[in-house]
Amino acid sequence: MTRQVCERCLFTPSTCICGAIKRLTNKVSVVILQHPSEEKIAKNTAKLLNLSLTDCKIIKGENNTDFAMLNSLPVKSTVLLYPNEHATYLDDVKPKPALSNITHLIVIDGTWKKAYKILQLTPLLTKFKTVSFKQLPQNRYAIRKAPRADSLSTLEAVAHSLLLIEQLNPAPLYNLLDELIQKQTQHMPEHVKARYLN
């Protein structure tokens, strides 16, 4: 028997998050390179961005062939969000109007290990400047554990980037993330929920 799911958010009726979705018009095009293993993870946040942002594209894959569309992006105005030694801190750019030159933001959606693998298998990414954050916002996404202290969910990373680049209010995105967390933990026993949310 096929499980009933919402046609819009693809969650079951009891975990549907559509009531919290608010469409946001973003000026910077968001391109999400998603590792195939992320697609079926209920707690993955990339699809929340796709539901919320007017200009957001998710491309599934692992290498140059999968991500051939990167060839169509403007090199000078496209940036890759990835924390390496060459990255420019979005929250440390002066003057701020310099950020207005950014037209496309590439984000890798996957665990740190999978993101690094995508980076290694996709030389096309090396032609873009990398950006990161000097000061990380507080991680709100407690229900998915990460091994690194500088970990943010894909939604949080994009929300903070768009706030810094184009002053897009991140509140609707964070509210949607809160809704996802609430719906995904609502049936957990209290002692299990405490492990994540306390």
Side-chain angles (χ1 to χ4, degrees):
M1 186 175 174
T2 307
R3 188 176 67 156
Q4 185 182 357
V5 295
C6 170
E7 289 183 6
R8 187 181 183 194
C9 71
L10 301 180
F11 284 113
T12 62
S14 66
T15 55
C16 175
I17 55 170
C18 288
I21 296 172
K22 181 180 178 184
R23 292 287 279 175
L24 299 174
T25 302
N26 53 309
K27 297 173 189 170
V28 175
S29 297
V30 176
V31 179
I32 300 173
L33 309 184
Q34 185 178 68
H35 191 276
S37 64
E38 291 292 308
E39 183 181 6
K40 293 185 179 179
I41 295 175
K43 294 179 283 186
N44 177 273
T45 63
K47 73 175 177 181
L48 304 190
L49 289 165
N50 211 20
L51 290 166
S52 301
L53 300 175
T54 55
D55 194 348
C56 179
K57 183 180 294 186
I58 298 177
I59 304 157
K60 299 170 184 64
E62 292 183 89
N63 54 46
N64 260 0
T65 304
D66 299 328
F67 303 130
M69 64 76 61
L70 293 173
N71 283 308
S72 67
L73 300 183
V75 175
K76 288 186 178 179
S77 60
T78 298
V79 294
L80 167 65
L81 184 63
Y82 195 83
N84 61 23
E85 65 273 21
H86 305 297
T88 298
Y89 294 128
L90 290 173
D91 46 351
D92 201 32
V93 173
K94 295 182 178 69
K96 291 296 179 188
L99 293 176
S100 65
N101 297 324
I102 297 173
T103 59
H104 293 75
L105 175 72
I106 302 170
V107 183
I108 302 176
D109 182 49
T111 62
W112 280 113
K113 187 176 180 180
K114 289 167 186 170
Y116 182 73
K117 183 180 180 184
I118 285 175
L119 205 60
Q120 296 304 301
L121 296 176
T122 313
L124 280 171
L125 288 170
T126 60
K127 64 182 179 179
F128 302 112
K129 294 176 190 169
T130 53
V131 294
S132 186
F133 311 125
K134 188 173 187 178
Q135 187 76 38
L136 283 177
Q138 183 180 356
N139 186 329
R140 309 162 67 97
Y141 195 42
I143 60 172
R144 196 167 178 193
K145 299 300 182 185
R148 287 173 48 160
D150 59 347
S151 295
L152 292 174
S153 68
T154 298
L155 180 143
E156 291 169 298
V158 170
H160 195 54
S161 296
L162 294 179
L163 169 65
L164 295 170
I165 297 170
E166 59 173 86
Q167 292 77 56
L168 187 72
N169 180 9
L173 292 172
Y174 291 147
N175 290 341
L176 184 56
L177 180 63
D178 291 343
E179 180 76 358
L180 173 71
I181 293 169
Q182 190 276 320
K183 289 293 179 72
Q184 291 295 318
T185 59
Q186 64 185 338
H187 299 304
M188 284 182 180
E190 286 304 318
H191 70 282
V192 175
K193 191 186 295 188
R195 263 188 260 154
Y196 290 99
L197 303 182
N198 293 338

